[in-house]
């Protein structure tokens, strides 16, 4: 399970860094609920629907879904990274308050769907408090990442 491997990795970090990391075994989306996660191989997993869980040999399990605004309420996240296999738009819909606060740096994958390239930046273009960038993390379009960095009063 990826979450078990993540927990093991974090326990190897220095204590100061560990204290700044909050791990939650769940998904993010527009609102609270429950999702079915399918694990494929050693690294890949994604949210699937009930019909898919019956036909895929993927060891599905249920987890709670949270909104980004719910997870960040009363906190000040400094960095939010979303590479969640096409669920980025739903996660951003659940993070409007956090986006509008312009306190966190964001790194969001924009290659899972063609429309991600313009829909995801539009969440941040409404708020003029960000500098916006797009970078390729590899030689092809896969791993194209959109960055929104809070402006420093310029």
């Amino acid at each position: 399970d990826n979450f078990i491997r993540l927990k093991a990795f974090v326990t190897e970090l220095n204590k100061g860094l560990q204290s700044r990391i909050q791990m939650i075994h769940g998904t993010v989306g527009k609102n609270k609920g429950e999702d079915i996660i399918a694990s494929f191989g050693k690294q890949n997993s994604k949210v699937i629907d009930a019909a898919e869980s019956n036909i895929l040999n993927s060891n599905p399990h249920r987890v709670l879904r949270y909104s980004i605004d719910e997870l960040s309420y009363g906190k000040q996240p400094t960095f939010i990274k979303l590479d969640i296999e096409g669920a980025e738009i739903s996660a951003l819909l659940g993070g409007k308050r956090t986006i509008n606060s312009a306190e966190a740096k964001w790194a969001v994958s924009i290659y899972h769907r063609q429309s991600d390239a313009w829909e995801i930046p539009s969440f941040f273009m409404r708020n003029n408090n960000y500098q916006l960038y797009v970078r390729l993390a590899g030689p092809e379009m896969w791993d194209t990442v959109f960055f929104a960095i809070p402006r420093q009063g310029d």
Side-chain angles (χ1 to χ4, degrees), residues 103-150:
E103 295 175 2
K105 295 175 184 170
W106 294 75
V108 185
S109 293
I110 59 170
Y111 62 90
H112 294 106
R113 296 186 172 110
Q114 285 182 338
S115 60
D116 286 350
W118 59 87
E119 288 179 353
I120 289 172
S122 73
F123 280 88
F124 298 87
M125 293 170 75
R126 297 177 195 130
N127 182 332
N128 198 29
N129 293 320
Y130 287 100
Q131 294 175 312
L132 310 177
Y133 305 91
V134 174
R135 297 287 186 263
L136 294 176
E140 298 179 20
M141 69 167 268
W142 313 117
D143 292 327
T144 304
V145 181
F146 168 79
F147 294 92
I149 310 300

mmCIF file of all heavy atoms in Angstrom, residues 103-150:
data_model
loop_
_atom_site.group_PDB
_atom_site.id
_atom_site.type_symbol
_atom_site.label_atom_id
_atom_site.label_comp_id
_atom_site.label_asym_id
_atom_site.label_seq_id
_atom_site.Cartn_x
_atom_site.Cartn_y
_atom_site.Cartn_z
ATOM 1 N N GLU A 103 -1.606 32.072 0.185
ATOM 2 C CA GLU A 103 -0.522 31.863 1.137
ATOM 3 C C GLU A 103 0.372 30.687 0.762
ATOM 4 O O GLU A 103 1.530 30.661 1.130
ATOM 5 C CB GLU A 103 -1.101 31.660 2.541
ATOM 6 C CG GLU A 103 -1.803 32.908 3.058
ATOM 7 C CD GLU A 103 -2.481 32.684 4.405
ATOM 8 O OE1 GLU A 103 -2.379 31.577 4.957
ATOM 9 O OE2 GLU A 103 -3.107 33.639 4.881
ATOM 10 N N ALA A 104 -0.172 29.702 0.062
ATOM 11 C CA ALA A 104 0.587 28.500 -0.266
ATOM 12 C C ALA A 104 1.127 28.567 -1.690
ATOM 13 O O ALA A 104 0.530 29.183 -2.572
ATOM 14 C CB ALA A 104 -0.294 27.262 -0.116
ATOM 15 N N LYS A 105 2.245 27.903 -1.903
ATOM 16 C CA LYS A 105 2.746 27.649 -3.250
ATOM 17 C C LYS A 105 2.052 26.383 -3.736
ATOM 18 O O LYS A 105 1.837 25.450 -2.973
ATOM 19 C CB LYS A 105 4.265 27.434 -3.229
ATOM 20 C CG LYS A 105 5.027 28.659 -2.796
ATOM 21 C CD LYS A 105 6.507 28.365 -2.679
ATOM 22 C CE LYS A 105 7.219 29.594 -2.156
ATOM 23 N NZ LYS A 105 8.597 29.313 -1.805
ATOM 24 N N TRP A 106 1.679 26.372 -5.013
ATOM 25 C CA TRP A 106 0.969 25.243 -5.599
ATOM 26 C C TRP A 106 1.764 24.661 -6.759
ATOM 27 O O TRP A 106 2.324 25.409 -7.566
ATOM 28 C CB TRP A 106 -0.388 25.685 -6.134
ATOM 29 C CG TRP A 106 -1.369 26.128 -5.093
ATOM 30 C CD1 TRP A 106 -1.358 27.307 -4.408
ATOM 31 C CD2 TRP A 106 -2.501 25.415 -4.633
ATOM 32 N NE1 TRP A 106 -2.424 27.368 -3.550
ATOM 33 C CE2 TRP A 106 -3.149 26.218 -3.671
ATOM 34 C CE3 TRP A 106 -3.055 24.167 -4.960
ATOM 35 C CZ2 TRP A 106 -4.310 25.819 -3.013
ATOM 36 C CZ3 TRP A 106 -4.215 23.776 -4.311
ATOM 37 C CH2 TRP A 106 -4.819 24.593 -3.345
ATOM 38 N N ALA A 107 1.771 23.346 -6.872
ATOM 39 C CA ALA A 107 2.305 22.626 -8.029
ATOM 40 C C ALA A 107 1.229 21.621 -8.431
ATOM 41 O O ALA A 107 0.909 20.714 -7.663
ATOM 42 C CB ALA A 107 3.604 21.910 -7.669
ATOM 43 N N VAL A 108 0.656 21.811 -9.618
ATOM 44 C CA VAL A 108 -0.486 21.004 -10.040
ATOM 45 C C VAL A 108 -0.217 20.408 -11.415
ATOM 46 O O VAL A 108 0.089 21.146 -12.362
ATOM 47 C CB VAL A 108 -1.779 21.863 -10.080
ATOM 48 C CG1 VAL A 108 -2.982 20.989 -10.401
ATOM 49 C CG2 VAL A 108 -1.992 22.622 -8.769
ATOM 50 N N SER A 109 -0.340 19.110 -11.532
ATOM 51 C CA SER A 109 -0.168 18.449 -12.831
ATOM 52 C C SER A 109 -1.276 18.882 -13.773
ATOM 53 O O SER A 109 -2.439 18.946 -13.387
ATOM 54 C CB SER A 109 -0.199 16.933 -12.667
ATOM 55 O OG SER A 109 0.927 16.505 -11.943
ATOM 56 N N ILE A 110 -0.880 19.178 -15.022
ATOM 57 C CA ILE A 110 -1.872 19.632 -16.009
ATOM 58 C C ILE A 110 -1.825 18.795 -17.293
ATOM 59 O O ILE A 110 -2.130 19.282 -18.366
ATOM 60 C CB ILE A 110 -1.712 21.139 -16.343
ATOM 61 C CG1 ILE A 110 -0.332 21.444 -16.908
ATOM 62 C CG2 ILE A 110 -2.000 21.996 -15.133
ATOM 63 C CD1 ILE A 110 -0.224 22.852 -17.481
ATOM 64 N N TYR A 111 -1.499 17.510 -17.162
ATOM 65 C CA TYR A 111 -1.385 16.679 -18.361
ATOM 66 C C TYR A 111 -2.352 15.501 -18.398
ATOM 67 O O TYR A 111 -2.385 14.755 -19.371
ATOM 68 C CB TYR A 111 0.050 16.142 -18.505
ATOM 69 C CG TYR A 111 0.481 15.254 -17.364
ATOM 70 C CD1 TYR A 111 0.264 13.889 -17.399
ATOM 71 C CD2 TYR A 111 1.105 15.791 -16.252
ATOM 72 C CE1 TYR A 111 0.645 13.081 -16.360
ATOM 73 C CE2 TYR A 111 1.498 14.990 -15.208
ATOM 74 C CZ TYR A 111 1.263 13.629 -15.261
ATOM 75 O OH TYR A 111 1.658 12.834 -14.221
ATOM 76 N N HIS A 112 -3.164 15.314 -17.380
ATOM 77 C CA HIS A 112 -4.042 14.150 -17.379
ATOM 78 C C HIS A 112 -5.190 14.268 -18.382
ATOM 79 O O HIS A 112 -5.618 13.266 -18.949
ATOM 80 C CB HIS A 112 -4.597 13.908 -15.970
ATOM 81 C CG HIS A 112 -3.528 13.521 -14.996
ATOM 82 N ND1 HIS A 112 -3.054 14.378 -14.040
ATOM 83 C CD2 HIS A 112 -2.817 12.383 -14.865
ATOM 84 C CE1 HIS A 112 -2.113 13.778 -13.344
ATOM 85 N NE2 HIS A 112 -1.949 12.565 -13.826
ATOM 86 N N ARG A 113 -5.672 15.482 -18.574
ATOM 87 C CA ARG A 113 -6.734 15.754 -19.553
ATOM 88 C C ARG A 113 -6.303 16.969 -20.373
ATOM 89 O O ARG A 113 -5.677 17.885 -19.842
ATOM 90 C CB ARG A 113 -8.052 16.072 -18.846
ATOM 91 C CG ARG A 113 -8.596 14.920 -18.053
ATOM 92 C CD ARG A 113 -9.983 15.270 -17.506
ATOM 93 N NE ARG A 113 -10.567 14.102 -16.917
ATOM 94 C CZ ARG A 113 -10.752 13.944 -15.615
ATOM 95 N NH1 ARG A 113 -10.412 14.893 -14.778
ATOM 96 N NH2 ARG A 113 -11.294 12.837 -15.148
ATOM 97 N N GLN A 114 -6.682 17.018 -21.634
ATOM 98 C CA GLN A 114 -6.293 18.157 -22.470
ATOM 99 C C GLN A 114 -6.760 19.477 -21.872
ATOM 100 O O GLN A 114 -6.029 20.457 -21.864
ATOM 101 C CB GLN A 114 -6.863 18.008 -23.878
ATOM 102 C CG GLN A 114 -6.148 16.983 -24.709
ATOM 103 C CD GLN A 114 -6.711 16.908 -26.110
ATOM 104 O OE1 GLN A 114 -7.842 17.299 -26.377
ATOM 105 N NE2 GLN A 114 -5.907 16.399 -27.031
ATOM 106 N N SER A 115 -7.973 19.505 -21.348
ATOM 107 C CA SER A 115 -8.531 20.748 -20.812
ATOM 108 C C SER A 115 -7.833 21.212 -19.530
ATOM 109 O O SER A 115 -7.987 22.365 -19.130
ATOM 110 C CB SER A 115 -10.028 20.600 -20.565
ATOM 111 O OG SER A 115 -10.272 19.562 -19.631
ATOM 112 N N ASP A 116 -7.056 20.350 -18.896
ATOM 113 C CA ASP A 116 -6.320 20.757 -17.687
ATOM 114 C C ASP A 116 -5.409 21.945 -17.958
ATOM 115 O O ASP A 116 -5.202 22.788 -17.080
ATOM 116 C CB ASP A 116 -5.459 19.604 -17.145
ATOM 117 C CG ASP A 116 -6.264 18.517 -16.464
ATOM 118 O OD1 ASP A 116 -7.477 18.715 -16.224
ATOM 119 O OD2 ASP A 116 -5.678 17.459 -16.173
ATOM 120 N N ALA A 117 -4.875 22.025 -19.168
ATOM 121 C CA ALA A 117 -3.908 23.085 -19.506
ATOM 122 C C ALA A 117 -4.495 24.482 -19.390
ATOM 123 O O ALA A 117 -3.767 25.445 -19.157
ATOM 124 C CB ALA A 117 -3.355 22.861 -20.914
ATOM 125 N N TRP A 118 -5.807 24.635 -19.552
ATOM 126 C CA TRP A 118 -6.408 25.962 -19.380
ATOM 127 C C TRP A 118 -7.357 26.021 -18.182
ATOM 128 O O TRP A 118 -7.496 27.069 -17.569
ATOM 129 C CB TRP A 118 -7.112 26.445 -20.648
ATOM 130 C CG TRP A 118 -8.214 25.571 -21.163
ATOM 131 C CD1 TRP A 118 -9.523 25.601 -20.805
ATOM 132 C CD2 TRP A 118 -8.099 24.537 -22.134
ATOM 133 N NE1 TRP A 118 -10.235 24.651 -21.485
ATOM 134 C CE2 TRP A 118 -9.382 23.976 -22.321
ATOM 135 C CE3 TRP A 118 -7.032 24.018 -22.876
ATOM 136 C CZ2 TRP A 118 -9.619 22.926 -23.199
ATOM 137 C CZ3 TRP A 118 -7.281 22.979 -23.748
ATOM 138 C CH2 TRP A 118 -8.556 22.453 -23.906
ATOM 139 N N GLU A 119 -7.977 24.898 -17.824
ATOM 140 C CA GLU A 119 -8.916 24.936 -16.697
ATOM 141 C C GLU A 119 -8.207 25.106 -15.356
ATOM 142 O O GLU A 119 -8.665 25.866 -14.502
ATOM 143 C CB GLU A 119 -9.779 23.675 -16.676
ATOM 144 C CG GLU A 119 -10.801 23.645 -17.798
ATOM 145 C CD GLU A 119 -11.659 22.391 -17.799
ATOM 146 O OE1 GLU A 119 -11.393 21.459 -17.012
ATOM 147 O OE2 GLU A 119 -12.610 22.358 -18.585
ATOM 148 N N ILE A 120 -7.105 24.412 -15.167
ATOM 149 C CA ILE A 120 -6.395 24.501 -13.882
ATOM 150 C C ILE A 120 -5.810 25.896 -13.667
ATOM 151 O O ILE A 120 -6.029 26.495 -12.606
ATOM 152 C CB ILE A 120 -5.361 23.368 -13.749
ATOM 153 C CG1 ILE A 120 -6.125 22.047 -13.552
ATOM 154 C CG2 ILE A 120 -4.378 23.634 -12.610
ATOM 155 C CD1 ILE A 120 -5.296 20.798 -13.590
ATOM 156 N N PRO A 121 -5.091 26.487 -14.628
ATOM 157 C CA PRO A 121 -4.604 27.855 -14.401
ATOM 158 C C PRO A 121 -5.718 28.864 -14.131
ATOM 159 O O PRO A 121 -5.522 29.836 -13.398
ATOM 160 C CB PRO A 121 -3.853 28.184 -15.689
ATOM 161 C CG PRO A 121 -3.399 26.860 -16.200
ATOM 162 C CD PRO A 121 -4.525 25.917 -15.857
ATOM 163 N N SER A 122 -6.923 28.626 -14.689
ATOM 164 C CA SER A 122 -8.007 29.591 -14.501
ATOM 165 C C SER A 122 -8.395 29.746 -13.028
ATOM 166 O O SER A 122 -8.863 30.805 -12.617
ATOM 167 C CB SER A 122 -9.226 29.222 -15.342
ATOM 168 O OG SER A 122 -9.903 28.107 -14.801
ATOM 169 N N PHE A 123 -8.201 28.719 -12.211
ATOM 170 C CA PHE A 123 -8.488 28.835 -10.779
ATOM 171 C C PHE A 123 -7.624 29.911 -10.138
ATOM 172 O O PHE A 123 -8.033 30.564 -9.185
ATOM 173 C CB PHE A 123 -8.234 27.507 -10.057
ATOM 174 C CG PHE A 123 -9.333 26.506 -10.207
ATOM 175 C CD1 PHE A 123 -9.338 25.626 -11.283
ATOM 176 C CD2 PHE A 123 -10.358 26.428 -9.285
ATOM 177 C CE1 PHE A 123 -10.344 24.694 -11.427
ATOM 178 C CE2 PHE A 123 -11.374 25.497 -9.423
ATOM 179 C CZ PHE A 123 -11.366 24.633 -10.502
ATOM 180 N N PHE A 124 -6.411 30.080 -10.641
ATOM 181 C CA PHE A 124 -5.454 31.001 -10.038
ATOM 182 C C PHE A 124 -5.415 32.348 -10.756
ATOM 183 O O PHE A 124 -5.006 33.346 -10.177
ATOM 184 C CB PHE A 124 -4.062 30.361 -10.027
ATOM 185 C CG PHE A 124 -4.025 29.113 -9.203
ATOM 186 C CD1 PHE A 124 -4.348 27.881 -9.750
ATOM 187 C CD2 PHE A 124 -3.698 29.171 -7.855
ATOM 188 C CE1 PHE A 124 -4.332 26.727 -8.987
ATOM 189 C CE2 PHE A 124 -3.681 28.028 -7.081
ATOM 190 C CZ PHE A 124 -4.003 26.802 -7.648
ATOM 191 N N MET A 125 -5.849 32.385 -12.014
ATOM 192 C CA MET A 125 -5.836 33.634 -12.774
ATOM 193 C C MET A 125 -6.875 34.616 -12.245
ATOM 194 O O MET A 125 -6.733 35.821 -12.422
ATOM 195 C CB MET A 125 -6.062 33.342 -14.257
ATOM 196 C CG MET A 125 -4.898 32.590 -14.870
ATOM 197 S SD MET A 125 -5.256 31.985 -16.522
ATOM 198 C CE MET A 125 -5.139 33.498 -17.441
ATOM 199 N N ARG A 126 -7.914 34.111 -11.594
ATOM 200 C CA ARG A 126 -8.937 34.974 -11.003
ATOM 201 C C ARG A 126 -8.384 35.777 -9.826
ATOM 202 O O ARG A 126 -8.976 36.763 -9.411
ATOM 203 C CB ARG A 126 -10.113 34.121 -10.529
ATOM 204 C CG ARG A 126 -10.811 33.398 -11.644
ATOM 205 C CD ARG A 126 -11.921 32.496 -11.103
ATOM 206 N NE ARG A 126 -12.316 31.567 -12.153
ATOM 207 C CZ ARG A 126 -12.414 30.258 -11.987
ATOM 208 N NH1 ARG A 126 -12.194 29.710 -10.823
ATOM 209 N NH2 ARG A 126 -12.775 29.498 -12.992
ATOM 210 N N ASN A 127 -7.297 35.305 -9.277
ATOM 211 C CA ASN A 127 -6.689 35.923 -8.107
ATOM 212 C C ASN A 127 -5.338 36.482 -8.546
ATOM 213 O O ASN A 127 -4.411 35.736 -8.832
ATOM 214 C CB ASN A 127 -6.508 34.852 -7.023
ATOM 215 C CG ASN A 127 -5.939 35.391 -5.750
ATOM 216 O OD1 ASN A 127 -5.217 36.379 -5.754
ATOM 217 N ND2 ASN A 127 -6.237 34.735 -4.650
ATOM 218 N N ASN A 128 -5.209 37.779 -8.594
ATOM 219 C CA ASN A 128 -3.991 38.409 -9.104
ATOM 220 C C ASN A 128 -2.835 38.358 -8.111
ATOM 221 O O ASN A 128 -1.836 39.021 -8.288
ATOM 222 C CB ASN A 128 -4.285 39.866 -9.500
ATOM 223 C CG ASN A 128 -3.231 40.426 -10.419
ATOM 224 O OD1 ASN A 128 -2.606 39.684 -11.176
ATOM 225 N ND2 ASN A 128 -3.021 41.723 -10.346
ATOM 226 N N ASN A 129 -2.962 37.559 -7.072
ATOM 227 C CA ASN A 129 -1.918 37.484 -6.055
ATOM 228 C C ASN A 129 -0.924 36.358 -6.299
ATOM 229 O O ASN A 129 -0.161 36.010 -5.397
ATOM 230 C CB ASN A 129 -2.560 37.328 -4.667
ATOM 231 C CG ASN A 129 -3.331 38.566 -4.279
ATOM 232 O OD1 ASN A 129 -2.894 39.677 -4.527
ATOM 233 N ND2 ASN A 129 -4.503 38.373 -3.707
ATOM 234 N N TYR A 130 -0.936 35.779 -7.486
ATOM 235 C CA TYR A 130 -0.021 34.688 -7.816
ATOM 236 C C TYR A 130 0.803 35.030 -9.062
ATOM 237 O O TYR A 130 0.311 35.670 -9.978
ATOM 238 C CB TYR A 130 -0.782 33.397 -8.125
ATOM 239 C CG TYR A 130 -1.394 32.722 -6.932
ATOM 240 C CD1 TYR A 130 -2.743 32.880 -6.641
ATOM 241 C CD2 TYR A 130 -0.636 31.903 -6.100
ATOM 242 C CE1 TYR A 130 -3.317 32.247 -5.553
ATOM 243 C CE2 TYR A 130 -1.199 31.272 -5.012
ATOM 244 C CZ TYR A 130 -2.545 31.444 -4.745
ATOM 245 O OH TYR A 130 -3.111 30.814 -3.667
ATOM 246 N N GLN A 131 2.027 34.545 -9.065
ATOM 247 C CA GLN A 131 2.817 34.484 -10.286
ATOM 248 C C GLN A 131 2.608 33.076 -10.836
ATOM 249 O O GLN A 131 2.650 32.099 -10.080
ATOM 250 C CB GLN A 131 4.296 34.737 -9.997
ATOM 251 C CG GLN A 131 4.560 36.144 -9.511
ATOM 252 C CD GLN A 131 6.009 36.334 -9.114
ATOM 253 O OE1 GLN A 131 6.572 35.528 -8.390
ATOM 254 N NE2 GLN A 131 6.607 37.406 -9.602
ATOM 255 N N LEU A 132 2.381 32.964 -12.143
ATOM 256 C CA LEU A 132 2.006 31.691 -12.741
ATOM 257 C C LEU A 132 3.086 31.197 -13.700
ATOM 258 O O LEU A 132 3.635 31.970 -14.484
ATOM 259 C CB LEU A 132 0.680 31.850 -13.494
ATOM 260 C CG LEU A 132 -0.453 32.517 -12.699
ATOM 261 C CD1 LEU A 132 -1.682 32.672 -13.575
ATOM 262 C CD2 LEU A 132 -0.778 31.735 -11.443
ATOM 263 N N TYR A 133 3.373 29.890 -13.632
ATOM 264 C CA TYR A 133 4.410 29.273 -14.456
ATOM 265 C C TYR A 133 3.951 27.897 -14.909
ATOM 266 O O TYR A 133 3.179 27.236 -14.215
ATOM 267 C CB TYR A 133 5.713 29.095 -13.665
ATOM 268 C CG TYR A 133 6.243 30.349 -13.051
ATOM 269 C CD1 TYR A 133 5.883 30.720 -11.752
ATOM 270 C CD2 TYR A 133 7.096 31.181 -13.757
ATOM 271 C CE1 TYR A 133 6.368 31.881 -11.173
ATOM 272 C CE2 TYR A 133 7.589 32.350 -13.180
ATOM 273 C CZ TYR A 133 7.220 32.687 -11.895
ATOM 274 O OH TYR A 133 7.703 33.833 -11.333
ATOM 275 N N VAL A 134 4.473 27.450 -16.046
ATOM 276 C CA VAL A 134 4.296 26.073 -16.501
ATOM 277 C C VAL A 134 5.672 25.530 -16.831
ATOM 278 O O VAL A 134 6.469 26.197 -17.511
ATOM 279 C CB VAL A 134 3.374 25.990 -17.746
ATOM 280 C CG1 VAL A 134 3.329 24.569 -18.292
ATOM 281 C CG2 VAL A 134 1.971 26.462 -17.396
ATOM 282 N N ARG A 135 5.955 24.335 -16.339
ATOM 283 C CA ARG A 135 7.259 23.706 -16.576
ATOM 284 C C ARG A 135 7.056 22.238 -16.942
ATOM 285 O O ARG A 135 6.154 21.578 -16.436
ATOM 286 C CB ARG A 135 8.140 23.767 -15.323
ATOM 287 C CG ARG A 135 8.494 25.164 -14.868
ATOM 288 C CD ARG A 135 9.524 25.798 -15.798
ATOM 289 N NE ARG A 135 9.967 27.077 -15.300
ATOM 290 C CZ ARG A 135 9.495 28.249 -15.672
ATOM 291 N NH1 ARG A 135 8.534 28.321 -16.557
ATOM 292 N NH2 ARG A 135 9.966 29.362 -15.180
ATOM 293 N N LEU A 136 7.934 21.747 -17.802
ATOM 294 C CA LEU A 136 7.976 20.323 -18.115
ATOM 295 C C LEU A 136 8.979 19.673 -17.171
ATOM 296 O O LEU A 136 10.099 20.147 -17.030
ATOM 297 C CB LEU A 136 8.416 20.089 -19.556
ATOM 298 C CG LEU A 136 7.468 20.582 -20.643
ATOM 299 C CD1 LEU A 136 8.085 20.369 -22.017
ATOM 300 C CD2 LEU A 136 6.136 19.874 -20.547
ATOM 301 N N ALA A 137 8.556 18.576 -16.532
ATOM 302 C CA ALA A 137 9.448 17.870 -15.616
ATOM 303 C C ALA A 137 10.158 16.717 -16.310
ATOM 304 O O ALA A 137 10.887 15.977 -15.683
ATOM 305 C CB ALA A 137 8.660 17.357 -14.418
ATOM 306 N N GLY A 138 9.933 16.571 -17.603
ATOM 307 C CA GLY A 138 10.552 15.508 -18.381
ATOM 308 C C GLY A 138 10.661 15.923 -19.833
ATOM 309 O O GLY A 138 10.281 17.037 -20.202
ATOM 310 N N PRO A 139 11.155 15.044 -20.692
ATOM 311 C CA PRO A 139 11.379 15.402 -22.093
ATOM 312 C C PRO A 139 10.110 15.510 -22.936
ATOM 313 O O PRO A 139 10.148 16.044 -24.033
ATOM 314 C CB PRO A 139 12.276 14.274 -22.600
ATOM 315 C CG PRO A 139 11.946 13.109 -21.722
ATOM 316 C CD PRO A 139 11.608 13.695 -20.381
ATOM 317 N N GLU A 140 8.995 14.993 -22.469
ATOM 318 C CA GLU A 140 7.750 15.039 -23.226
ATOM 319 C C GLU A 140 6.701 15.788 -22.421
ATOM 320 O O GLU A 140 6.970 16.286 -21.343
ATOM 321 C CB GLU A 140 7.289 13.617 -23.535
ATOM 322 C CG GLU A 140 8.290 12.859 -24.397
ATOM 323 C CD GLU A 140 7.856 11.444 -24.679
ATOM 324 O OE1 GLU A 140 6.653 11.147 -24.548
ATOM 325 O OE2 GLU A 140 8.712 10.639 -25.030
ATOM 326 N N MET A 141 5.479 15.841 -22.924
ATOM 327 C CA MET A 141 4.424 16.580 -22.230
ATOM 328 C C MET A 141 4.005 15.934 -20.920
ATOM 329 O O MET A 141 3.414 16.568 -20.070
ATOM 330 C CB MET A 141 3.201 16.767 -23.112
ATOM 331 C CG MET A 141 2.444 15.488 -23.392
ATOM 332 S SD MET A 141 0.835 15.767 -24.114
ATOM 333 C CE MET A 141 -0.170 15.827 -22.667
ATOM 334 N N TRP A 142 4.290 14.649 -20.733
ATOM 335 C CA TRP A 142 3.952 13.991 -19.477
ATOM 336 C C TRP A 142 4.722 14.690 -18.377
ATOM 337 O O TRP A 142 5.861 15.087 -18.551
ATOM 338 C CB TRP A 142 4.282 12.507 -19.528
ATOM 339 C CG TRP A 142 3.781 11.867 -20.789
ATOM 340 C CD1 TRP A 142 4.531 11.298 -21.756
ATOM 341 C CD2 TRP A 142 2.425 11.805 -21.234
ATOM 342 N NE1 TRP A 142 3.735 10.866 -22.779
ATOM 343 C CE2 TRP A 142 2.424 11.165 -22.488
ATOM 344 C CE3 TRP A 142 1.210 12.232 -20.709
ATOM 345 C CZ2 TRP A 142 1.271 10.934 -23.203
ATOM 346 C CZ3 TRP A 142 0.053 11.999 -21.425
ATOM 347 C CH2 TRP A 142 0.093 11.344 -22.658
ATOM 348 N N ASP A 143 4.102 14.830 -17.282
ATOM 349 C CA ASP A 143 4.671 15.541 -16.136
ATOM 350 C C ASP A 143 4.802 17.036 -16.400
ATOM 351 O O ASP A 143 5.760 17.674 -15.966
ATOM 352 C CB ASP A 143 6.012 14.944 -15.701
ATOM 353 C CG ASP A 143 5.837 13.552 -15.124
ATOM 354 O OD1 ASP A 143 4.790 13.313 -14.502
ATOM 355 O OD2 ASP A 143 6.728 12.718 -15.296
ATOM 356 N N THR A 144 3.836 17.610 -17.102
ATOM 357 C CA THR A 144 3.751 19.056 -17.227
ATOM 358 C C THR A 144 3.104 19.578 -15.955
ATOM 359 O O THR A 144 2.042 19.127 -15.555
ATOM 360 C CB THR A 144 2.925 19.464 -18.460
ATOM 361 O OG1 THR A 144 3.502 18.844 -19.619
ATOM 362 C CG2 THR A 144 2.913 20.968 -18.638
ATOM 363 N N VAL A 145 3.769 20.539 -15.320
ATOM 364 C CA VAL A 145 3.329 21.018 -14.012
ATOM 365 C C VAL A 145 3.066 22.516 -14.081
ATOM 366 O O VAL A 145 3.883 23.282 -14.603
ATOM 367 C CB VAL A 145 4.373 20.707 -12.922
ATOM 368 C CG1 VAL A 145 3.895 21.187 -11.554
ATOM 369 C CG2 VAL A 145 4.676 19.211 -12.886
ATOM 370 N N PHE A 146 1.937 22.914 -13.528
ATOM 371 C CA PHE A 146 1.568 24.313 -13.389
ATOM 372 C C PHE A 146 1.933 24.753 -11.975
ATOM 373 O O PHE A 146 1.642 24.061 -11.007
ATOM 374 C CB PHE A 146 0.059 24.479 -13.618
ATOM 375 C CG PHE A 146 -0.468 25.816 -13.217
ATOM 376 C CD1 PHE A 146 -0.290 26.915 -14.039
ATOM 377 C CD2 PHE A 146 -1.121 25.982 -12.010
ATOM 378 C CE1 PHE A 146 -0.776 28.158 -13.657
ATOM 379 C CE2 PHE A 146 -1.612 27.212 -11.629
ATOM 380 C CZ PHE A 146 -1.434 28.305 -12.459
ATOM 381 N N PHE A 147 2.602 25.898 -11.866
ATOM 382 C CA PHE A 147 2.997 26.443 -10.562
ATOM 383 C C PHE A 147 2.295 27.778 -10.334
ATOM 384 O O PHE A 147 2.245 28.616 -11.237
ATOM 385 C CB PHE A 147 4.508 26.675 -10.496
ATOM 386 C CG PHE A 147 5.310 25.410 -10.556
ATOM 387 C CD1 PHE A 147 5.767 24.912 -11.768
ATOM 388 C CD2 PHE A 147 5.612 24.721 -9.397
ATOM 389 C CE1 PHE A 147 6.508 23.750 -11.835
ATOM 390 C CE2 PHE A 147 6.356 23.549 -9.443
ATOM 391 C CZ PHE A 147 6.800 23.058 -10.667
ATOM 392 N N ALA A 148 1.780 27.966 -9.138
ATOM 393 C CA ALA A 148 1.213 29.244 -8.706
ATOM 394 C C ALA A 148 1.966 29.638 -7.445
ATOM 395 O O ALA A 148 1.902 28.945 -6.425
ATOM 396 C CB ALA A 148 -0.275 29.118 -8.434
ATOM 397 N N ILE A 149 2.708 30.728 -7.538
ATOM 398 C CA ILE A 149 3.568 31.191 -6.444
ATOM 399 C C ILE A 149 3.017 32.511 -5.933
ATOM 400 O O ILE A 149 2.852 33.469 -6.717
ATOM 401 C CB ILE A 149 5.027 31.388 -6.929
ATOM 402 C CG1 ILE A 149 5.524 30.139 -7.693
ATOM 403 C CG2 ILE A 149 5.938 31.755 -5.766
ATOM 404 C CD1 ILE A 149 5.541 28.860 -6.919
ATOM 405 N N PRO A 150 2.723 32.629 -4.625
ATOM 406 C CA PRO A 150 2.193 33.891 -4.104
ATOM 407 C C PRO A 150 3.147 35.052 -4.382
ATOM 408 O O PRO A 150 4.366 34.923 -4.244
ATOM 409 C CB PRO A 150 2.071 33.646 -2.601
ATOM 410 C CG PRO A 150 2.017 32.161 -2.458
ATOM 411 C CD PRO A 150 2.854 31.619 -3.582
#
